[in-house]
Short mmCIF file of all heavy atoms in Angstrom, two decimals:
data_model
loop_
_atom_site.label_atom_id
_atom_site.label_comp_id
_atom_site.label_asym_id
_atom_site.label_seq_id
_atom_site.Cartn_x
_atom_site.Cartn_y
_atom_site.Cartn_z
N MET Z 18 -16.43 5.21 149.99
CA MET Z 18 -15.89 4.02 149.38
C MET Z 18 -14.52 4.35 148.79
O MET Z 18 -14.34 5.35 148.10
CB MET Z 18 -16.85 3.55 148.28
CG MET Z 18 -16.42 2.31 147.61
SD MET Z 18 -17.86 1.66 146.73
CE MET Z 18 -17.11 0.87 145.41
N LYS Z 19 -13.58 3.49 149.04
CA LYS Z 19 -12.22 3.68 148.57
C LYS Z 19 -12.08 3.20 147.12
O LYS Z 19 -12.60 2.14 146.77
CB LYS Z 19 -11.29 2.88 149.48
CG LYS Z 19 -9.89 3.35 149.52
CD LYS Z 19 -9.13 2.61 150.59
CE LYS Z 19 -7.71 3.11 150.60
NZ LYS Z 19 -6.89 2.39 151.54
N PRO Z 20 -11.40 3.98 146.27
CA PRO Z 20 -11.24 3.55 144.87
C PRO Z 20 -10.28 2.36 144.78
O PRO Z 20 -9.46 2.16 145.66
CB PRO Z 20 -10.64 4.78 144.19
CG PRO Z 20 -9.97 5.51 145.27
CD PRO Z 20 -10.76 5.26 146.52
N PRO Z 21 -10.38 1.58 143.70
CA PRO Z 21 -9.45 0.46 143.50
C PRO Z 21 -8.02 0.97 143.38
O PRO Z 21 -7.80 2.13 143.04
CB PRO Z 21 -9.91 -0.16 142.18
CG PRO Z 21 -11.24 0.41 141.89
CD PRO Z 21 -11.35 1.70 142.63
N PRO Z 22 -7.04 0.11 143.67
CA PRO Z 22 -5.64 0.52 143.54
C PRO Z 22 -5.34 1.03 142.13
O PRO Z 22 -5.80 0.46 141.15
CB PRO Z 22 -4.86 -0.78 143.82
CG PRO Z 22 -5.82 -1.66 144.54
CD PRO Z 22 -7.20 -1.27 144.11
N GLY Z 23 -4.62 2.11 142.06
CA GLY Z 23 -4.24 2.68 140.78
C GLY Z 23 -5.24 3.67 140.21
O GLY Z 23 -4.98 4.31 139.21
N MET Z 24 -6.39 3.81 140.83
CA MET Z 24 -7.41 4.74 140.36
C MET Z 24 -7.39 6.00 141.21
O MET Z 24 -7.19 5.95 142.42
CB MET Z 24 -8.81 4.11 140.43
CG MET Z 24 -9.04 3.00 139.45
SD MET Z 24 -9.00 3.53 137.74
CE MET Z 24 -10.50 4.45 137.63
N SER Z 25 -7.62 7.11 140.57
CA SER Z 25 -7.68 8.37 141.29
C SER Z 25 -8.98 8.45 142.08
O SER Z 25 -10.04 8.10 141.57
CB SER Z 25 -7.63 9.53 140.29
OG SER Z 25 -7.87 10.75 140.95
N PRO Z 26 -8.91 8.92 143.32
CA PRO Z 26 -10.13 9.07 144.11
C PRO Z 26 -10.94 10.29 143.67
O PRO Z 26 -12.05 10.50 144.11
CB PRO Z 26 -9.62 9.25 145.54
CG PRO Z 26 -8.26 9.82 145.38
CD PRO Z 26 -7.73 9.24 144.08
N ASP Z 27 -10.39 11.08 142.78
CA ASP Z 27 -11.02 12.32 142.35
C ASP Z 27 -11.55 12.16 140.93
O ASP Z 27 -10.79 12.15 139.96
CB ASP Z 27 -9.97 13.44 142.41
CG ASP Z 27 -10.52 14.79 142.02
OD1 ASP Z 27 -11.72 14.90 141.71
OD2 ASP Z 27 -9.73 15.75 142.02
N PRO Z 28 -12.89 12.05 140.77
CA PRO Z 28 -13.44 11.87 139.43
C PRO Z 28 -13.14 13.04 138.50
O PRO Z 28 -13.02 12.87 137.29
CB PRO Z 28 -14.94 11.73 139.65
CG PRO Z 28 -15.19 11.85 141.09
CD PRO Z 28 -13.89 12.05 141.79
N GLU Z 29 -13.00 14.25 139.04
CA GLU Z 29 -12.68 15.40 138.21
C GLU Z 29 -11.29 15.25 137.59
O GLU Z 29 -11.08 15.57 136.42
CB GLU Z 29 -12.75 16.68 139.03
CG GLU Z 29 -12.60 17.94 138.20
CD GLU Z 29 -12.80 19.21 139.02
OE1 GLU Z 29 -13.63 19.20 139.94
OE2 GLU Z 29 -12.11 20.19 138.73
N ARG Z 30 -10.38 14.73 138.36
CA ARG Z 30 -9.01 14.52 137.86
C ARG Z 30 -9.00 13.45 136.75
O ARG Z 30 -8.33 13.60 135.73
CB ARG Z 30 -8.11 14.09 139.01
CG ARG Z 30 -6.68 13.89 138.61
CD ARG Z 30 -5.84 13.58 139.80
NE ARG Z 30 -4.48 13.31 139.40
CZ ARG Z 30 -3.52 13.00 140.21
NH1 ARG Z 30 -3.74 12.96 141.51
NH2 ARG Z 30 -2.33 12.76 139.77
N THR Z 31 -9.78 12.40 136.95
CA THR Z 31 -9.88 11.36 135.93
C THR Z 31 -10.50 11.93 134.65
O THR Z 31 -10.03 11.64 133.55
CB THR Z 31 -10.73 10.18 136.45
OG1 THR Z 31 -10.11 9.66 137.63
CG2 THR Z 31 -10.83 9.07 135.43
N GLY Z 32 -11.53 12.74 134.80
CA GLY Z 32 -12.17 13.36 133.64
C GLY Z 32 -11.23 14.28 132.90
O GLY Z 32 -11.22 14.33 131.66
N LEU Z 33 -10.42 15.02 133.65
CA LEU Z 33 -9.45 15.93 133.03
C LEU Z 33 -8.39 15.15 132.26
O LEU Z 33 -8.01 15.53 131.14
CB LEU Z 33 -8.81 16.81 134.09
CG LEU Z 33 -7.87 17.90 133.61
CD1 LEU Z 33 -8.60 18.86 132.66
CD2 LEU Z 33 -7.30 18.67 134.79
N ALA Z 34 -7.94 14.03 132.82
CA ALA Z 34 -6.95 13.19 132.13
C ALA Z 34 -7.55 12.62 130.85
O ALA Z 34 -6.89 12.56 129.80
CB ALA Z 34 -6.49 12.06 133.04
N PHE Z 35 -8.82 12.23 130.91
CA PHE Z 35 -9.50 11.70 129.73
C PHE Z 35 -9.63 12.78 128.65
O PHE Z 35 -9.32 12.54 127.48
CB PHE Z 35 -10.88 11.17 130.13
CG PHE Z 35 -11.65 10.57 128.99
CD1 PHE Z 35 -11.25 9.38 128.41
CD2 PHE Z 35 -12.78 11.19 128.51
CE1 PHE Z 35 -11.96 8.83 127.36
CE2 PHE Z 35 -13.49 10.65 127.47
CZ PHE Z 35 -13.08 9.45 126.90
N LEU Z 36 -10.04 13.97 129.05
CA LEU Z 36 -10.18 15.08 128.10
C LEU Z 36 -8.84 15.43 127.47
O LEU Z 36 -8.75 15.64 126.25
CB LEU Z 36 -10.78 16.30 128.79
CG LEU Z 36 -10.96 17.54 127.93
CD1 LEU Z 36 -11.88 17.26 126.75
CD2 LEU Z 36 -11.50 18.69 128.76
N ALA Z 37 -7.79 15.48 128.27
CA ALA Z 37 -6.46 15.79 127.75
C ALA Z 37 -6.01 14.74 126.74
O ALA Z 37 -5.44 15.07 125.69
CB ALA Z 37 -5.46 15.89 128.89
N SER Z 38 -6.31 13.48 127.03
CA SER Z 38 -5.95 12.41 126.10
C SER Z 38 -6.70 12.54 124.78
O SER Z 38 -6.12 12.40 123.71
CB SER Z 38 -6.24 11.05 126.73
OG SER Z 38 -5.44 10.85 127.86
N LEU Z 39 -8.00 12.82 124.87
CA LEU Z 39 -8.78 12.98 123.65
C LEU Z 39 -8.32 14.18 122.83
O LEU Z 39 -8.25 14.11 121.60
CB LEU Z 39 -10.27 13.11 123.97
CG LEU Z 39 -10.95 11.86 124.49
CD1 LEU Z 39 -12.43 12.14 124.76
CD2 LEU Z 39 -10.80 10.71 123.52
N GLN Z 40 -7.98 15.26 123.49
CA GLN Z 40 -7.49 16.43 122.77
C GLN Z 40 -6.15 16.14 122.11
O GLN Z 40 -5.88 16.59 121.00
CB GLN Z 40 -7.38 17.63 123.70
CG GLN Z 40 -8.73 18.21 124.04
CD GLN Z 40 -8.63 19.45 124.92
OE1 GLN Z 40 -7.77 19.56 125.77
NE2 GLN Z 40 -9.53 20.39 124.68
N GLY Z 41 -5.32 15.37 122.79
CA GLY Z 41 -4.03 14.99 122.21
C GLY Z 41 -4.20 14.13 120.97
O GLY Z 41 -3.55 14.34 119.95
N VAL Z 42 -5.10 13.16 121.05
CA VAL Z 42 -5.37 12.30 119.90
C VAL Z 42 -5.95 13.13 118.75
O VAL Z 42 -5.58 12.95 117.58
CB VAL Z 42 -6.32 11.14 120.29
CG1 VAL Z 42 -6.80 10.40 119.06
CG2 VAL Z 42 -5.64 10.19 121.26
N THR Z 43 -6.84 14.03 119.08
CA THR Z 43 -7.43 14.90 118.06
C THR Z 43 -6.35 15.73 117.37
O THR Z 43 -6.34 15.86 116.14
CB THR Z 43 -8.49 15.84 118.68
OG1 THR Z 43 -9.51 15.05 119.27
CG2 THR Z 43 -9.09 16.76 117.65
N GLY Z 44 -5.44 16.29 118.15
CA GLY Z 44 -4.35 17.07 117.57
C GLY Z 44 -3.48 16.24 116.66
O GLY Z 44 -3.10 16.68 115.56
N LEU Z 45 -3.17 15.01 117.08
CA LEU Z 45 -2.36 14.13 116.24
C LEU Z 45 -3.08 13.75 114.96
O LEU Z 45 -2.47 13.68 113.89
CB LEU Z 45 -1.98 12.87 117.03
CG LEU Z 45 -1.03 13.07 118.20
CD1 LEU Z 45 -0.90 11.78 119.01
CD2 LEU Z 45 0.32 13.56 117.73
N ALA Z 46 -4.39 13.53 115.06
CA ALA Z 46 -5.17 13.19 113.87
C ALA Z 46 -5.24 14.39 112.91
O ALA Z 46 -5.11 14.22 111.70
CB ALA Z 46 -6.57 12.74 114.26
N ASN Z 47 -5.44 15.57 113.46
CA ASN Z 47 -5.52 16.77 112.62
C ASN Z 47 -4.21 17.06 111.90
O ASN Z 47 -4.22 17.62 110.80
CB ASN Z 47 -5.96 17.98 113.43
CG ASN Z 47 -7.42 17.94 113.79
OD1 ASN Z 47 -8.22 17.29 113.13
ND2 ASN Z 47 -7.79 18.63 114.85
N CYS Z 48 -3.10 16.69 112.49
CA CYS Z 48 -1.79 16.93 111.87
C CYS Z 48 -1.38 15.80 110.94
O CYS Z 48 -0.33 15.86 110.31
CB CYS Z 48 -0.72 17.08 112.96
SG CYS Z 48 -0.89 18.56 113.94
N GLY Z 49 -2.17 14.75 110.90
CA GLY Z 49 -1.86 13.63 110.03
C GLY Z 49 -0.93 12.60 110.63
O GLY Z 49 -0.52 11.66 109.95
N VAL Z 50 -0.58 12.75 111.89
CA VAL Z 50 0.30 11.78 112.55
C VAL Z 50 -0.45 10.46 112.77
O VAL Z 50 0.13 9.39 112.63
CB VAL Z 50 0.83 12.33 113.89
CG1 VAL Z 50 1.63 11.29 114.64
CG2 VAL Z 50 1.67 13.59 113.64
N VAL Z 51 -1.73 10.56 113.11
CA VAL Z 51 -2.58 9.38 113.28
C VAL Z 51 -3.53 9.33 112.08
O VAL Z 51 -4.26 10.28 111.84
CB VAL Z 51 -3.39 9.46 114.60
CG1 VAL Z 51 -4.36 8.30 114.70
CG2 VAL Z 51 -2.47 9.50 115.80
N THR Z 52 -3.49 8.24 111.36
CA THR Z 52 -4.36 8.10 110.19
C THR Z 52 -5.76 7.70 110.62
O THR Z 52 -5.97 7.19 111.72
CB THR Z 52 -3.81 7.02 109.24
OG1 THR Z 52 -3.81 5.76 109.93
CG2 THR Z 52 -2.40 7.36 108.77
N ASP Z 53 -6.71 7.90 109.72
CA ASP Z 53 -8.09 7.51 109.99
C ASP Z 53 -8.19 6.02 110.31
O ASP Z 53 -8.99 5.60 111.13
CB ASP Z 53 -9.00 7.85 108.81
CG ASP Z 53 -9.23 9.34 108.66
OD1 ASP Z 53 -8.95 10.10 109.62
OD2 ASP Z 53 -9.69 9.76 107.58
N ALA Z 54 -7.37 5.24 109.65
CA ALA Z 54 -7.40 3.79 109.84
C ALA Z 54 -7.00 3.40 111.27
O ALA Z 54 -7.47 2.39 111.79
CB ALA Z 54 -6.47 3.11 108.83
N ARG Z 55 -6.15 4.18 111.90
CA ARG Z 55 -5.68 3.88 113.26
C ARG Z 55 -6.47 4.59 114.34
O ARG Z 55 -6.36 4.25 115.52
CB ARG Z 55 -4.20 4.26 113.38
CG ARG Z 55 -3.30 3.43 112.51
CD ARG Z 55 -1.85 3.81 112.68
NE ARG Z 55 -1.45 3.64 114.06
CZ ARG Z 55 -0.38 4.24 114.60
NH1 ARG Z 55 0.36 5.02 113.85
NH2 ARG Z 55 -0.08 4.06 115.85
N LEU Z 56 -7.25 5.59 113.96
CA LEU Z 56 -7.92 6.45 114.93
C LEU Z 56 -8.87 5.69 115.85
O LEU Z 56 -8.83 5.86 117.07
CB LEU Z 56 -8.66 7.57 114.21
CG LEU Z 56 -9.25 8.66 115.09
CD1 LEU Z 56 -8.20 9.31 115.95
CD2 LEU Z 56 -9.93 9.71 114.22
N GLU Z 57 -9.69 4.84 115.31
CA GLU Z 57 -10.67 4.11 116.13
C GLU Z 57 -9.98 3.24 117.17
O GLU Z 57 -10.38 3.20 118.34
CB GLU Z 57 -11.58 3.27 115.24
CG GLU Z 57 -12.75 2.68 116.00
CD GLU Z 57 -13.75 1.98 115.10
OE1 GLU Z 57 -13.87 2.35 113.92
OE2 GLU Z 57 -14.42 1.07 115.60
N ASP Z 58 -8.93 2.51 116.75
CA ASP Z 58 -8.20 1.67 117.70
C ASP Z 58 -7.51 2.50 118.77
O ASP Z 58 -7.48 2.11 119.95
CB ASP Z 58 -7.16 0.82 116.97
CG ASP Z 58 -7.79 -0.32 116.17
OD1 ASP Z 58 -8.93 -0.71 116.47
OD2 ASP Z 58 -7.12 -0.80 115.23
N LEU Z 59 -6.95 3.62 118.39
CA LEU Z 59 -6.27 4.48 119.35
C LEU Z 59 -7.25 5.03 120.39
O LEU Z 59 -6.97 5.03 121.59
CB LEU Z 59 -5.55 5.63 118.64
CG LEU Z 59 -4.75 6.58 119.52
CD1 LEU Z 59 -3.71 5.83 120.34
CD2 LEU Z 59 -4.09 7.64 118.66
N LEU Z 60 -8.41 5.47 119.94
CA LEU Z 60 -9.43 5.97 120.87
C LEU Z 60 -9.91 4.86 121.80
O LEU Z 60 -10.11 5.09 122.99
CB LEU Z 60 -10.60 6.58 120.11
CG LEU Z 60 -10.29 7.90 119.42
CD1 LEU Z 60 -11.48 8.33 118.57
CD2 LEU Z 60 -9.92 8.98 120.42
N ALA Z 61 -10.05 3.66 121.29
CA ALA Z 61 -10.45 2.53 122.12
C ALA Z 61 -9.39 2.25 123.18
O ALA Z 61 -9.71 1.95 124.34
CB ALA Z 61 -10.69 1.29 121.27
N ASP Z 62 -8.12 2.38 122.83
CA ASP Z 62 -7.03 2.19 123.80
C ASP Z 62 -7.08 3.24 124.90
O ASP Z 62 -6.89 2.93 126.07
CB ASP Z 62 -5.66 2.24 123.11
CG ASP Z 62 -5.36 1.00 122.30
OD1 ASP Z 62 -6.06 -0.01 122.47
OD2 ASP Z 62 -4.40 1.06 121.50
N VAL Z 63 -7.32 4.50 124.52
CA VAL Z 63 -7.40 5.58 125.51
C VAL Z 63 -8.51 5.29 126.51
O VAL Z 63 -8.30 5.35 127.73
CB VAL Z 63 -7.63 6.95 124.83
CG1 VAL Z 63 -8.01 8.00 125.86
CG2 VAL Z 63 -6.41 7.38 124.05
N VAL Z 64 -9.67 4.93 126.00
CA VAL Z 64 -10.81 4.64 126.88
C VAL Z 64 -10.50 3.45 127.78
O VAL Z 64 -10.74 3.47 128.98
CB VAL Z 64 -12.09 4.41 126.06
CG1 VAL Z 64 -13.22 3.89 126.94
CG2 VAL Z 64 -12.50 5.69 125.36
N ALA Z 65 -9.95 2.39 127.21
CA ALA Z 65 -9.66 1.17 127.99
C ALA Z 65 -8.64 1.45 129.09
O ALA Z 65 -8.78 0.96 130.21
CB ALA Z 65 -9.16 0.07 127.07
N ARG Z 66 -7.62 2.23 128.79
CA ARG Z 66 -6.59 2.49 129.79
C ARG Z 66 -7.07 3.41 130.91
O ARG Z 66 -6.67 3.26 132.05
CB ARG Z 66 -5.35 3.09 129.13
CG ARG Z 66 -4.64 2.08 128.26
CD ARG Z 66 -3.47 2.70 127.51
NE ARG Z 66 -2.97 1.83 126.50
CZ ARG Z 66 -2.09 0.85 126.73
NH1 ARG Z 66 -1.66 0.65 127.95
NH2 ARG Z 66 -1.67 0.09 125.74
N LEU Z 67 -7.94 4.34 130.60
CA LEU Z 67 -8.42 5.24 131.64
C LEU Z 67 -9.62 4.68 132.38
O LEU Z 67 -9.90 5.11 133.49
CB LEU Z 67 -8.77 6.61 131.04
CG LEU Z 67 -7.56 7.42 130.60
CD1 LEU Z 67 -7.99 8.69 129.88
CD2 LEU Z 67 -6.70 7.79 131.80
N ALA Z 68 -10.32 3.72 131.81
CA ALA Z 68 -11.50 3.16 132.45
C ALA Z 68 -11.19 1.88 133.24
O ALA Z 68 -12.04 1.38 133.94
CB ALA Z 68 -12.56 2.85 131.40
N ARG Z 69 -9.98 1.39 133.15
CA ARG Z 69 -9.67 0.14 133.84
C ARG Z 69 -9.66 0.34 135.35
O ARG Z 69 -9.27 1.38 135.85
CB ARG Z 69 -8.34 -0.42 133.37
CG ARG Z 69 -7.15 0.41 133.76
CD ARG Z 69 -5.88 -0.16 133.14
NE ARG Z 69 -4.84 0.83 133.20
CZ ARG Z 69 -3.97 0.93 134.19
NH1 ARG Z 69 -4.00 0.09 135.19
NH2 ARG Z 69 -3.05 1.88 134.18
N PRO Z 70 -10.06 -0.72 136.06
CA PRO Z 70 -10.06 -0.62 137.54
C PRO Z 70 -8.67 -0.70 138.11
O PRO Z 70 -7.73 -0.98 137.49
CB PRO Z 70 -10.88 -1.83 137.98
CG PRO Z 70 -10.99 -2.72 136.82
CD PRO Z 70 -10.66 -1.93 135.60
#
């Protein structure tokens, strides 16, 4: 089955991009660049952008 346009055909690559994004957000939160108040929304954005068809 062919993936939708804009999606990687390689689930491992998608997983790696997701992990890298989460680690980046974690690093920003640990340094205080992202506040606790913004963290939940930012994580929701990461998931939405990587999970979209």
Side-chain angles (χ1 to χ4, degrees):
M18 182 164 150
K19 203 172 180 184
M24 291 295 289
S25 172
D27 182 1
E29 187 175 326
R30 182 175 176 180
T31 301
L33 185 59
F35 182 69
L36 179 60
S38 296
L39 290 181
Q40 286 183 324
V42 170
T43 301
L45 293 172
N47 286 337
C48 292
V50 174
V51 175
T52 63
D53 288 344
R55 294 182 59 200
L56 188 57
E57 190 173 332
D58 287 338
L59 182 56
L60 290 174
D62 286 346
V63 168
V64 171
R66 290 176 192 276
L67 289 174
R69 68 185 164 92

